Amino acid sequence: EAGVAQSPRYKIIEKRQSVAFWCNPISGHATLYWYQQILGQGPKLLIQFQNNGVVDDSQLPKDRFSAERLKGVDSTLKIQPAKLEDSAVYLCASSLERGTNSLLYEQYFGPGTRLTVT
Amino acid sequence: GDSVTQMEGPVTLSEEAFLTINCTYTATGYPSLFWYVQYPGEGLQLLLKATKADDKGSNKGFEATYRKETTSFHLEKGSVQVSDSAVYFCALRGLTGGGNKLTFGTGTQLKVEL
């Protein structure tokens, strides 16, 4: 079974530029998550999709970050314009979960995209 | 809100030494608890989990017991190997929101030397 795919693996941009990350979850997984992992910290959930609908985006800085999952499969996360503090690893994860009350479904993580903003 | 506190690293051990990484949590009710491992250059992998009090999760020689009375989920291994060198994250999945949200600790880097 193929895992969660992410691209690119590394990206270096200057501040105020824009950048986009792509994620393809495990086939059949209804729920997709984007996490931000700043160096020395644990991952922080940015946004969670259930199929193509947003379940939780309470920690997404909506003035500069956006995400979409138009067909309920792959997803893109965009930052525009980027700031120095956006330097981090952006992790995508997926799970089978098809409802909002299940506590049973494991999240599978991709390898992440390491973003450096200079 | 939910939070996880784990011991700071790096933790440096000799091969075959005993490992303990402390983790405590704050959450409402009975969250599910997890340990994830992140090897260099790779994504997070689930190492073990426990979903209710007194459950013991185990995998690859690692163990952790869900202790509600001390709100802890300490990770242990009797004899570490060089290949165990990685960053270990304690996490919880709370009961609020219903969205399967994970809250992570800051991670503990483990270095095992020959």
Side-chain angles (χ1 to χ4, degrees):
Chain A
E1 179 181 81
V4 176
Q6 290 188 247
S7 67
R9 292 293 310 274
Y10 305 92
K11 189 73 176 179
I12 301 174
I13 63 172
E14 295 182 351
K15 59 183 179 182
R16 291 188 289 273
Q17 287 186 324
S18 63
V19 63
F21 313 126
W22 175 82
C23 172
N24 191 30
I26 292 173
S27 178
H29 280 197
T31 309
L32 186 147
Y33 315 79
W34 283 103
Y35 289 85
Q36 180 192 56
Q37 185 179 9
I38 294 173
L39 185 64
Q41 299 181 19
K44 180 185 78 172
L45 180 69
L46 292 176
I47 188 167
Q48 179 187 161
F49 292 95
Q50 181 74 19
N51 296 308
N52 60 353
V54 175
V55 174
D56 182 355
D57 64 355
S58 57
Q59 298 193 86
L60 186 73
K62 298 180 185 65
D63 57 335
R64 298 183 300 104
F65 285 65
S66 64
E68 60 183 14
R69 194 185 184 199
L70 293 176
K71 297 183 179 179
V73 181
D74 56 352
S75 175
T76 55
L77 176 70
K78 297 179 182 178
I79 307 175
Q80 181 180 7
K83 294 184 176 181
L84 295 176
E85 58 261 36
D86 299 332
S87 294
V89 176
Y90 290 85
L91 296 168
C92 180
S94 70
S95 66
L96 272 171
E97 184 186 8
R98 296 185 183 277
T100 57
N101 293 320
S102 171
L103 299 179
L104 299 178
Y105 293 125
E106 177 184 342
Q107 294 184 30
Y108 294 84
F109 285 81
T113 296
R114 182 176 298 278
L115 173 67
T116 302
V117 182
T118 63
Chain B
D2 297 343
S3 66
V4 175
T5 302
Q6 58 182 108
M7 63 188 289
E8 292 187 14
V11 173
T12 303
L13 296 173
S14 298
E15 199 170 45
E16 299 184 358
F18 185 86
L19 168 71
T20 300
I21 300 178
N22 291 336
C23 171
T24 58
Y25 68 89
T26 301
T28 303
Y30 295 84
S32 295
L33 300 173
F34 305 83
W35 277 100
Y36 281 83
V37 59
Q38 187 172 37
Y39 298 102
E42 299 184 15
L44 290 165
Q45 300 175 28
L46 179 64
L47 181 59
L48 53 84
K49 64 183 178 184
T51 58
K52 61 183 186 294
D54 299 326
D55 267 3
K56 177 185 283 187
S58 61
N59 186 26
K60 299 180 181 179
F62 290 89
E63 294 183 340
T65 301
Y66 189 142
R67 301 289 188 196
K68 182 179 182 302
E69 63 277 11
T70 54
T71 61
S72 65
F73 193 55
H74 304 322
L75 181 68
E76 297 181 336
K77 186 176 185 182
S79 177
V80 294
Q81 305 299 312
V82 172
S83 57
D84 294 326
S85 297
V87 181
Y88 293 81
F89 291 91
C90 185
L92 70 81
R93 183 170 55 204
L95 302 179
T96 58
N100 198 22
K101 175 183 176 180
L102 288 171
T103 299
F104 288 88
T106 55
T108 302
Q109 184 176 14
L110 171 65
K111 297 179 181 178
V112 181
E113 301 173 335
L114 290 172

